Amino acid sequence: MTETQGSVPSRRSLIGWGGAGLALGAAAAGGAVAMTRAGEDVEPAAADAGAAVGFHGAYQAGIATPVQDRLHFAAFDVTTTDRAEFVRLLKDWTEAARRMTAGKAVGEGAFGGLAEAPPDDTGEALGLKPSRLTLTVGFGPSLFKKFDLAGRRPDALVDLPTFAGDALDAARSNGDLCVQACADDPQVAVHAIRNLARIGMGKVVIRWSQLGFGKTSSTTPDAQTPRNLMGFKDGTRNIAGTETDRLKKFVWVGEKDVDADAAWMVGGSYLVARRIRMHIETWDRTSLQEQEDIFGRDKGEGAPVGKAKERDEPFLKAMKPDAHVRLAHPDSNHGSTILRRGYSFTDGTDGLGRLEAGLFFLAYQRDVREGFIRVQRNLATDALNEYIQHVGSAVFAVPPGVRDKDDWWGRTLFSKEA
Amino acid sequence: MRAARLSVVTAVTAVTALTAVTGCTSKSDAKDGDRVISVTATDAKCETSKKEISAGHVELAIENKGSKVTEVYILFPDDRIVSERENIGPGTKQRVTAEVKAGDYRIACKPGMKGTGIRQDLKVTGGSVAKRDPRLDKAVAAYREYAQEQADATLPLVATFVKAVKAGDLEAAKAAYAPSRIGWERTEPVAESFGDIDPEVDARADGLEAGQTWTGWHRLEKALWQDKKITAAEKTLADRLTTDLTDWQKRVGKAMITPTSMANGAKELLDEVATGKVTGEEERYSHTDLVDFKANVEGAQKSYELLKPVASENDAALVTELDKQFTALNTLLDKYRPNTTSYVFTSYDKVGAAQRKELSDAVNALAEPLSKLAAAVAK
């Protein structure tokens, strides 16, 4: 619809008209500065916080992409039993995602349409920059019980076993599919999930969703490592978005990883999402020495025990046997490495005067069995467990990227010829 | 899609997509000042810059210079609405557009959004004479008849309820409570359009304005289920309910009903379900929410069925989806009553969180496409 392209102002085009977009951009930047204020330096602009991230590519954006500041993650259940209708939804979602990640309103826009009809777009992102919005879709194990997909479920998409200490809430776990929306502006991320949920009504329903307000891992090692709510730097040794070899080795599914039935996953990855509640009040009463012992790094610099700098190679044996970094380190897990992309959350308070806060852990890997499961099993004796509790859990097969304007999410799984 | 919509524009259509209009009609040009009529609305006047215009696209440039919120209408001689704009605040400007064929019209301003408005004649010349799709006239007439039937059938059921309350018979009053509300719930948007009756008969404790005395069904509901006693005050309130609903019954025939208001009314009924019934707030003492729920859906479906012949021509896919989602929701609701001819539903306090979510999801699945019905009949 050429008239649509012309008549619906894009978020980006609105920026030029006035200060609204710029002012909000500045507010977001202010948040980032505040986050690093305690540190000695300010996070360099790893990426332009307002720009658009390309939607098309061999891999889905939102995995190796430099981690944005904000998250809105939603898990959906599929209610339609009509495969064609579900495929149509995936195509509609792809088109909406293509527009929103480019900073445009969905459909025919948020205003200017027929007065009798509700606008296609909900409007709250008008005037905001694209804000590096990425939208990443994944398929949960339960989806493969529908639409005759049983034979296409990849072996690596296993149901997660029960781990020691799990206190999982079924209402905050699992889901037939998921959408991860990351952006530097929270309103842009929320707008994206809201509009996809609206387009999905009658076909899919939201099962649970999670907002994240601060990234806890970065995929840009030259930037300052963000801190989690326990006050420690997180993800120091994370896989960087530029480390093509490590991404191939640990994150992207390759041709040799799959049989013919699961070949649709080539170029994809597996996502584990865990809602980890932190008992931050008791943590805050813990002595500095104990906190540092528990992590195996010092609080200020983030240096491993006995080392001076954050990025110095850790000497694991210098750490306590139950130190978090020691147990999670690849050397303690047969080399297992996962790409972490988690966010801090605070969902108000819990009715007992405590913050309902924690880490919404997101990790991407080539094989869940050799990634998250192996590491999490090893964390059974983690000293940190006294202060955390896993309360939500989900695993998803994240299909490869949408290649071009004619492609759509899940095509390799659902199209006949693929 | 937009161009296709506009190609079937009729005289009853309110069109605001100006750029698209100029693209597909040769007879009109919104940018041309000749097509614009300035309307200056004050608390006492409604001044228009033109009394005559040739047929085609017309745009009202409205400025409210009064102190009250106003509405501006273009009306057919029989008061049916050609196009309208509500909620025009003091000191603000708004635009209303329409495609008008030859004939006599009125432009009406309604300061304070009350009454029949201050009117100015508008003569439209040339072209063919304005005529609305007769199927829509038929739909409106049939809906008016339905609303009247519902009111007429409700009064005897209310009488049964009132009689039990006045006899001090707690159990009989409880049994008669939910049935007395069905006709009201089916056609609630019509009653709400009068403004004054709804707060008298259907207010909830948390919906009262400061100084408002709580009257009506829910006040009696609380007495029956929570206080478990009927006093003289309740008996007086029961009489008042009869008075108010008799007033409603008399006024239904005079309600302003249009195809668009029917479609929006259907959506509003689903909104009622989504915000009041699914949450269990509406019938918090009696837990008869599912009875209201069903009645709301029935009323919405009635409007929809009457508008369907026109809607299916303009948007066949929408009609397919609405048929499917009405069926799905009705099927789900039937799980909560032992007998599909009865209005005895499971008490809502026995409906668990997972079941409520399922009901809510089904309401969303229907309400979202239903919000597109008005556009499909206004095309």
Side-chain angles (χ1 to χ4, degrees), chain A residues 48-200:
Chain A
D48 176 357
V53 173
F55 180 68
H56 297 139
Y59 310 115
Q60 285 197 65
I63 302 172
T65 308
V67 182
Q68 301 91 327
D69 292 332
R70 318 287 178 156
L71 168 81
H72 192 184
F73 188 97
F76 294 84
D77 281 335
V78 177
T79 51
T80 181
T81 52
D82 180 345
R83 180 180 168 124
E85 188 176 50
F86 183 63
V87 167
R88 202 157 56 242
L89 171 66
L90 289 171
K91 291 178 179 175
D92 289 349
W93 267 11
T94 306
E95 182 52 33
R98 198 176 273 132
R99 291 188 65 85
M100 290 191 287
T101 53
K104 293 175 184 168
V106 300
E108 296 186 20
F111 59 88
L114 287 175
E116 295 84 355
D120 288 344
D121 187 279
T122 57
E124 72 273 29
L126 289 173
L128 301 181
K129 295 181 185 184
S131 305
R132 298 199 301 125
L133 173 69
T134 56
L135 292 163
T136 314
V137 155
F139 302 134
S142 50
L143 184 72
F144 294 87
K145 293 172 184 152
K146 303 178 176 181
F147 307 126
D148 286 326
L149 290 173
R152 312 292 301 278
R153 178 173 169 175
D155 294 341
L157 182 68
V158 293
D159 293 307
L160 294 181
T162 302
F163 298 100
D166 276 3
L168 304 181
D169 176 357
R172 289 189 193 271
S173 297
N174 306 322
D176 291 339
L177 63 158
C178 72
V179 181
Q180 170 197 282
C182 297
D184 289 325
D185 184 320
Q187 187 139 320
V188 170
V190 169
H191 169 264
I193 293 294
R194 176 182 175 189
N195 280 271
L196 293 179
R198 184 177 175 215
I199 292 167

Side-chain angles (χ1 to χ4, degrees), chain A residues 344-358:
Chain A
S344 293
F345 69 84
T346 306
D347 295 343
T349 46
D350 68 356
L352 297 173
R354 307 178 301 193
L355 286 180
E356 169 73 47

